[in-house]
Amino acid sequence: MGAIRIFLFLLAVFCLGCGSAQAEKRVALVIGNSAYKSAPRLANPVNDASLVGGMLKKAGFDLVDIKLDLNAAEMRRALRDFGGRTREADVAVVYYAGHGIELDGTNYLIPTDASLETDSDVLDETLPLERALFAVESARQLRLVILDACRDNPFAKTMKRTMAARAIGRGLAKVELTSPNTMIAFAAKAGSTASDGDSRNSPFAAALVERLPTPGLDLRKAFGFVRDDVLKNTGYKQEPYVYGSLGGDDLALVPAKPVAAGPQANPDSELRRDYELALQLGTRDGWTAFLNRFPNGFYADLAKGQLNKIAAEETRAITADKARQAEEEKARLAAERANKAEQEKAAAAAKAAEDKRLAAEKAKQIEEAKAAAAEQRRKDAEAAVAKALAEKQAAEKALVDKLASDKAAAELAAKQAAEKQAAAAAAEQKIAAVTSSSTPPAMSPQETTKLVQSELRRVGCLTASADGDWNLASQRSLTLFNKYAGTRFDAKLATFDALDAIKARPGRVCPLVCDHGFKADGDACVKIACRTGYRVNDDNECEKVQDKKPVATRDEPKKRDTERKQTEAKPSKPQASGQLICGNAGCRPVKSGCRVEGGSSSGAGSVGYREVCP
């Protein structure tokens, strides 16, 4: 029970953390009016509403309510109901396609049952634009109204004027908004009309569907792209316009997905975290609590496998205990010298218990293998999901960059078309300024060489110092860089292109080469240490030292001759005088340096002589 309490406590803490980081809620109301009773049918509004509504659903909106061909009462009810849903929303969007009219500077949306025989009927049979703004007013972060209602209005041509001074404008009038984080987008700027185009959808709706769902793209940029697309597709006759006030932070219709260096969380991240908590506990109670909350799905199957593993371990423990008890009973009966039948019965029970224990042990091993294989599959699946999410985020980032470049190109084209020759000259000056600013800085050849040498040292291709002298060592280092980086720079010159290519490499390019007796350890060479009795051989490996046996050698003739000459060159030792002195003990040579004095000689030898030594 202690384990399940820990699990439930951790789960509660985790869920409290999740509650504070909920995703924003987004809701939308889409209205398309085509079947007007008192005016010709419009071809595109219904199609445009279906297209935009589908786009918002794919963009992950929590609620998208699509209404087609509404009369006045139905439009009021739809806006009223939608206003109630926006009270708990962060983002609220109203899209309207159909007829609209401007009367005395105020814009109105026209239901399908409006007849508008006189200008005063506008107040009774239509809905003011402020009604749509009121419906989105409760949203916390973004309030967006999109009006594809700037068409050439047939009611304005036929209705009677009750007052001569009352103005009925062409298209819609510009608006002034006081509510923050509110935006109104017109299909055409104030005082002009929009085109339905020649296809199933209007140019404005087609551009909206193309640009708005880009993740992380700020609405101001998105509608800027919409403007460029519509201008281009209508021959610069229709220019969408945006009114409103947004803050300094980016506000995107579809939030950007975070981009990280490591694996990203998958849609089942909460479920996966609970699974990993249960895996850390590793108890039956923990897995049971997990299955009670998530009874179905991939992780539920993994949890059931873990329960099977625990059950196999419990069975193994029970059978092992029974086998032990049967062996003890068998030993007891043998010790007490029970009758043979009882001993045989005990032996059979012990054998059966041992067989069950072995079977349970085998079943446990099988369940453990299954659980390990299932865990590996889970990790592989999560890694695949993380990789797919990372690739998707990279593709989305590339799309945003492409859209930005497309916008820059479209702005340049529009400026050139509007301002003609003057704009072309300004564009040429801008291009010339960009070109001049992108040229390499003026540097002496020695400074350039020094920079290239410093970068070659950083990537491990040059060991000499960066002295600005492009010598043979520097040329060899650039040749090594070409070899390992796959480039083809001329090794005889230190160029800016080579410098840029080397700077683009974040780490070591050339492999580390160490002297004999040293080995590479990261980016440094360390001395190879061999144990006692071993030494480093020519292959930089430790080998055992072989014992040397003594070998008999003959002196070389040259060596003998040299020793003989040295001996002959030494001064000779003093020699004896050649005299003999005789006594009772016999005769002996006189010692070196001594002499014989006195006495006389006879046949028996020298008599009375003595040896005198200085």
Side-chain angles (χ1 to χ4, degrees):
M1 290 301 292
I4 189 63
R5 290 193 190 99
I6 294 173
F7 174 76
L8 293 175
F9 172 75
L10 293 174
L11 192 61
V13 172
F14 171 72
C15 291
L16 286 174
C18 293
S20 61
Q22 292 179 349
E24 63 182 18
K25 184 176 181 180
R26 296 172 294 164
V27 295
L29 172 64
V30 179
I31 300 175
N33 287 343
S34 288
Y36 284 92
K37 297 179 180 178
S38 302
R41 178 183 178 88
L42 293 174
N44 286 343
V46 169
N47 300 334
D48 293 342
S50 300
L51 182 67
V52 173
M55 175 270 291
L56 295 173
K57 288 180 179 179
K58 291 180 181 178
F61 270 61
D62 300 277
L63 170 69
V64 180
D65 195 3
I66 302 175
K67 302 288 187 180
L68 304 178
D69 293 330
L70 301 184
N71 57 34
E74 291 169 340
M75 284 185 67
R76 290 189 180 93
R77 186 183 307 112
L79 289 169
R80 181 177 65 249
D81 295 343
F82 183 70
R85 297 187 182 100
T86 61
R87 293 189 181 95
E88 298 178 356
D90 298 287
V91 176
V93 178
V94 170
Y95 172 84
Y96 172 78
H99 278 309
I101 192 171
E102 178 258 320
L103 181 66
D104 287 340
T106 302
N107 298 312
Y108 298 88
L109 310 181
I110 304 178
T112 56
D113 60 346
S115 59
L116 302 185
E117 295 179 356
T118 64
D119 51 8
S120 60
D121 292 337
V122 173
L123 303 176
D124 300 323
E125 299 177 6
T126 65
L127 281 76
L129 175 59
E130 282 72 12
R131 185 64 186 88
L133 292 173
F134 185 79
V136 300
E137 191 176 20
S138 301
R140 291 184 284 266
Q141 294 182 8
L142 174 64
R143 310 164 190 97
L144 175 62
V145 176
I146 304 174
L147 296 181
D148 195 356
C150 306
R151 295 168 171 83
D152 190 11
N153 185 5
F155 295 100
K157 299 177 183 178
T158 59
M159 70 172 56
K160 298 178 182 179
R161 307 295 197 271
T162 58
M163 291 183 61
R166 181 165 290 157
I168 298 177
R170 182 171 178 263
L172 298 179
K174 65 179 182 180
V175 294
E176 296 292 337
L177 297 175
T178 57
S179 178
N181 293 333
T182 303
M183 179 181 285
I184 298 179
F186 285 1
K189 65 181 179 180
S192 62
T193 58
S195 171
D196 272 341
D198 300 328
S199 61
R200 176 181 173 83
N201 297 107
S202 69
F204 183 62
L208 289 175
V209 172
E210 178 69 22
R211 301 298 187 176
L212 291 189
T214 304
L217 182 61
D218 181 64
L219 277 178
R220 286 159 289 205
K221 292 184 178 179
F223 279 108
F225 293 141
V226 169
R227 167 193 172 274
D228 297 339
D229 291 346
V230 174
L231 278 171
K232 183 178 179 180
N233 294 330
T234 60
Y236 298 93
K237 295 179 181 178
Q238 176 182 338
E239 180 184 1
Y241 212 84
V242 175
Y243 302 90
S245 174
L246 299 182
D249 295 334
D250 286 353
L251 280 176
L253 197 65
V254 179
K257 297 180 180 179
V259 178
Q264 301 299 304
N266 57 44
D268 295 329
S269 57
E270 179 182 358
L271 190 153
R272 178 171 60 83
R273 285 192 292 266
D274 290 354
Y275 175 86
E276 290 175 351
L277 282 173
L279 187 64
Q280 291 176 5
L281 291 174
T283 62
R284 178 182 290 276
D285 292 338
W287 289 118
T288 302
F290 177 83
L291 286 173
N292 289 337
R293 185 173 181 184
F294 306 105
N296 300 309
F298 174 69
Y299 286 93
D301 294 338
L302 294 178
K304 292 174 184 177
Q306 294 291 340
L307 277 178
N308 292 338
K309 174 183 171 182
I310 293 173
E313 171 60 23
E314 292 173 348
T315 303
R316 185 202 64 78
I318 293 172
T319 54
D321 187 59
K322 288 183 178 180
R324 180 182 56 77
Q325 292 176 0
E327 285 294 331
E328 291 176 353
E329 180 65 15
K330 176 182 175 182
R332 185 185 66 79
L333 291 175
E336 293 177 357
R337 296 181 180 180
N339 58 45
K340 186 176 181 181
E342 290 181 348
Q343 291 188 25
E344 290 177 351
K345 182 178 180 182
K351 185 176 182 305
E354 180 64 18
D355 292 341
K356 289 182 179 179
R357 185 190 69 79
L358 293 175
E361 183 71 28
K362 185 176 181 180
K364 175 199 169 187
Q365 294 174 356
I366 293 173
E367 292 300 330
E368 286 179 345
K370 288 181 179 179
E375 271 298 298
Q376 188 60 44
R377 288 196 301 272
R378 175 181 73 88
K379 292 177 181 178
D380 293 343
E382 290 174 353
V385 170
K387 181 179 178 182
L389 285 176
E391 291 175 350
K392 183 179 179 182
Q393 290 161 6
E396 290 172 350
K397 185 177 183 299
L399 177 60
V400 172
D401 294 340
K402 182 179 181 300
L403 291 176
S405 63
D406 290 347
K407 179 185 177 183
E411 287 178 351
L412 181 60
K415 188 175 182 180
Q416 289 175 340
E419 300 179 0
K420 298 182 181 180
Q421 297 178 352
E428 289 176 0
Q429 293 176 1
K430 183 178 179 181
I431 293 172
V434 173
T435 304
S436 62
S437 64
S438 62
T439 56
M443 299 177 65
S444 66
Q446 186 177 10
E447 292 174 336
T448 305
T449 300
K450 218 169 187 179
L451 288 174
V452 174
Q453 289 175 331
S454 298
E455 289 300 316
L456 286 171
R457 282 177 57 84
R458 182 182 62 81
V459 298
C461 297
L462 178 64
T463 56
S465 60
D467 54 4
D469 181 16
W470 192 250
N471 49 27
L472 290 176
S474 300
Q475 295 176 19
R476 284 195 296 271
S477 67
L478 184 54
T479 302
L480 283 174
F481 178 82
N482 286 335
K483 176 181 177 182
Y484 292 105
T487 56
R488 295 183 178 179
F489 297 112
D490 186 0
K492 296 180 180 180
L493 299 173
T495 62
F496 280 102
D497 292 337
L499 179 63
D500 292 339
I502 301 171
K503 281 184 175 180
R505 298 287 176 160
R508 173 178 287 276
V509 175
C510 298
L512 182 64
V513 179
C514 298
D515 295 333
H516 180 264
F518 292 82
K519 63 180 180 179
D521 184 8
D523 288 336
C525 292
V526 297
K527 188 174 182 180
I528 299 174
C530 297
R531 64 187 186 201
T532 305
Y534 286 76
R535 66 178 181 183
V536 180
N537 61 13
D538 294 338
D539 296 329
N540 247 21
E541 296 177 350
C542 292
E543 68 174 8
K544 190 173 183 181
V545 179
Q546 301 294 333
D547 295 334
K548 292 185 178 180
K549 297 180 180 180
V551 180
T553 59
R554 295 181 63 185
D555 293 338
E556 297 179 0
K558 186 176 181 180
K559 183 177 180 182
R560 291 199 306 273
D561 293 344
T562 302
E563 292 177 352
R564 181 175 58 79
K565 291 178 181 180
Q566 290 176 352
T567 302
E568 291 176 352
K570 290 181 180 179
S572 60
K573 297 180 180 180
Q575 301 293 324
S577 63
Q579 295 179 325
L580 296 176
I581 185 168
C582 298
N584 294 331
C587 296
R588 60 177 178 80
V590 177
K591 295 180 181 178
S592 175
C594 298
R595 68 182 182 275
V596 177
E597 292 182 357
S600 60
S601 301
S602 65
S606 300
V607 179
Y609 286 93
R610 65 179 184 278
E611 184 179 19
V612 179
C613 296

